[in-house]
Amino acid sequence: MSRKISQQPPFLLVNVVPYALLALLVVILMIVEDWSGGALLIDLGLCGLAAAWMLGMFTLRPGWWDQPWIMGMFVAGLLVITAVLVARHPVFGLFTPAAYIYSFTVLRWPWRLLGVAAAAVLAGTAQASGLPKTDVLGLAMYGIIVAFNIAMMCGCAWVLRLAEQEEERREQTLEELSRTNRLLEASLAENAGLHAQLLAQAREAGVLDERQRMAREIHDTLAQGLTGIIAQLQAAEQMHEVPAPWRRPFNAVKNLARESLAEARRSVDALRPEPLQTARLSDALADVTDRWSKLHGIAVQVTTTGTARPLTTEAEFALLRTAQEALANVAKHAHASRAGVTLSYLENEVALDVRDDGKGFDLARLEAGGFGLTIMRQRVEELSGSLRIESEPGAGTGISACIPCPLTGSGA
């Protein structure tokens, strides 16, 4: 696996040390070489070429440091210039550390091994410059020195490669751990969602159990009681003819008992109120108030404002029940001569207002709260709505229920 340069090479090592070595060699050349000959100028020119090569191919081109082929050309060119310098004067063996530095830092494996070996050959050649190359002993000593340099530097390169592989394995392990942690966090989040879902289902199951219990209670008490009332009324009607003055209230009581029984049975079956089975809320309100007006002999004006639009079943149910309960309170307590029901479709909510011209009451009496008003408030607030009551003695009563309902479409 080839090494990728994950970080920049040490700045001082690659941008200062090679130039410092070259400057030192220039000083040495100017001391040891004859100024009158042309050899010094050639050597100085080669030193300038080496400096220009490093400057133009590496120091001023940090964007090239991660380009393997360009760095390979750079090191190869530097090795050629170094070879010419070493061939001209053994003192240039002091410049071979620059070739080692660049081979170790910018070449990728296995090309790094080749660059280090080439630099070792040049270093060994400079070290063995004083040995005679004309006899076997001199050549053998030269080969030993070069081989020693190659073995030592390539061994260092191999050890560094093993260290890099260990670092790569460590980074890979850390990445695997990081990925595992991310998966674990995702699993924990998913488990939290499932836990919340289970809690919601448990709450729904508890609500369902409570509804079933209430349904049994309604069936065993209210429904049975209303059935008995209707049976007794029918029996009384069959046994004796109802006097004319009693006919109207008698029929009203019988019809009210039947309607209440039907509503109780629908509550048991968890059905919507009958007026909402086949009609929209405004029509259902008109039907309910019309029957209430006929039953109690109180004039009711029903008004719908705004553009009617579909509502949720819960919102329609809550508003209709609120209207029914408010009208029931008018009949029982207000002693009113007329009432009004207004359904308003607003931009972000639906409002229901029920008002009467009855005797009113002191709002301070609501501190204890009646059961009917409490039920109305609970129904509305469960849908994030609000219920307001306005009344004062002799000035009638107004009940306003508002339920949020963002605009989702228009009714017909």
Side-chain angles (χ1 to χ4, degrees):
M1 181 173 60
S2 63
R3 181 178 73 96
K4 293 184 178 179
I5 299 178
S6 58
Q7 57 184 7
Q8 300 294 345
F11 180 83
L12 292 177
L13 185 64
V14 297
N15 289 313
V16 175
V17 173
Y19 295 100
L21 292 174
L22 204 57
L24 176 63
L25 287 171
V26 169
V27 173
I28 293 174
L29 287 175
M30 295 181 70
I31 293 175
V32 301
E33 286 198 6
D34 187 4
W35 286 50
S36 61
L40 177 61
L41 295 177
I42 294 175
D43 291 336
L44 291 177
L46 289 172
C47 290
L49 176 62
W53 183 259
M54 292 187 297
L55 192 66
M57 290 292 291
F58 185 83
T59 304
L60 298 180
R61 305 286 186 178
W64 289 359
W65 294 1
D66 288 330
Q67 304 296 323
W69 289 105
I70 296 178
M71 290 297 97
M73 293 173 56
F74 162 65
V75 174
L78 186 64
L79 287 171
V80 171
I81 296 173
T82 305
V84 175
L85 288 171
V86 170
R88 287 187 57 80
H89 202 297
V91 74
F92 283 106
L94 295 175
F95 187 61
T96 54
Y100 283 131
I101 288 172
Y102 288 121
S103 297
F104 276 114
T105 56
V106 302
L107 292 182
R108 299 184 182 180
W109 192 267
W111 302 106
R112 186 194 316 167
L113 199 61
L114 184 60
V116 170
V121 171
L122 296 178
T125 300
Q127 294 166 8
S129 60
L131 296 176
K133 309 294 191 305
T134 56
D135 55 17
V136 175
L137 180 60
L139 290 174
M141 291 297 297
Y142 170 72
I144 291 173
I145 292 173
V146 170
F148 175 78
N149 277 273
I150 293 175
M152 183 177 63
M153 299 311 297
C154 288
C156 291
W158 185 263
V159 171
L160 290 176
R161 175 57 183 165
L162 293 178
E164 284 180 359
Q165 288 179 328
E166 182 63 26
E167 180 65 22
E168 289 172 357
R169 283 193 293 269
R170 187 181 300 110
E171 291 179 356
Q172 185 177 5
T173 301
L174 290 176
E175 179 62 27
E176 291 291 337
L177 288 175
S178 177
R179 183 164 54 250
T180 302
N181 287 335
R182 289 194 297 270
L183 292 175
L184 181 59
E185 290 175 358
S187 298
L188 290 175
E190 183 179 359
N191 288 338
L194 291 174
H195 181 66
Q197 184 177 357
L198 289 175
L199 288 177
Q201 291 176 349
R203 285 194 295 269
E204 291 176 359
V207 171
L208 181 59
D209 291 340
E210 180 62 18
R211 287 179 176 175
Q212 291 175 347
R213 186 190 68 79
M214 293 178 64
R216 289 192 298 269
E217 292 294 330
I218 292 173
H219 178 269
D220 295 340
T221 57
L222 294 178
Q224 296 296 340
L226 290 170
T227 301
I229 291 173
I230 294 172
Q232 292 298 322
L233 290 173
Q234 290 175 342
E237 190 176 21
Q238 291 175 1
M239 292 175 60
H240 301 284
E241 182 178 355
V242 179
W246 295 2
R247 173 62 61 184
R248 183 173 177 274
F250 187 88
N251 290 335
V253 170
K254 187 167 60 175
N255 291 334
L256 183 60
R258 286 173 176 167
E259 291 177 1
S260 299
L261 178 60
E263 290 296 336
R265 287 172 174 169
R266 291 188 182 91
S267 297
V268 172
D269 295 334
L271 297 175
R272 301 177 71 192
E274 181 183 11
L276 292 175
Q277 292 282 353
T278 57
R280 67 178 65 183
L281 178 59
S282 57
D283 297 331
L285 280 174
D287 180 59
V288 166
T289 53
D290 181 63
R291 285 188 289 165
W292 180 86
S293 177
K294 293 177 179 179
L295 177 63
H296 298 285
I298 301 175
V300 182
Q301 181 181 359
V302 181
T303 305
T304 300
T305 64
T307 302
R309 60 182 183 272
L311 305 178
T312 62
T313 302
E314 293 79 6
E316 289 185 344
F317 179 83
L319 291 174
L320 183 63
R321 287 303 195 207
T322 299
Q324 289 176 317
E325 183 63 32
L327 290 174
N329 287 338
V330 172
K332 287 188 290 185
H333 308 296
H335 302 291
S337 60
R338 66 179 185 273
V341 177
T342 301
L343 179 66
S344 302
Y345 290 92
L346 306 176
E347 182 178 0
N348 292 313
E349 64 181 5
V350 177
L352 173 72
D353 297 289
V354 180
R355 60 196 179 280
D356 65 75
D357 63 351
K359 63 179 183 179
F361 59 92
D362 187 357
L363 289 176
R365 294 186 334 188
L366 287 179
E367 292 181 358
F371 183 72
L373 292 177
T374 301
I375 293 297
M376 277 195 292
R377 190 180 301 279
Q378 289 177 349
R379 281 200 182 105
V380 173
E381 290 181 352
E382 283 177 357
L383 300 176
S384 302
S386 62
L387 184 75
R388 296 197 315 273
I389 301 174
E390 298 177 357
S391 183
E392 60 182 64
T397 301
I399 295 178
S400 177
C402 294
I403 295 179
C405 182
L407 184 60
T408 57
S410 298

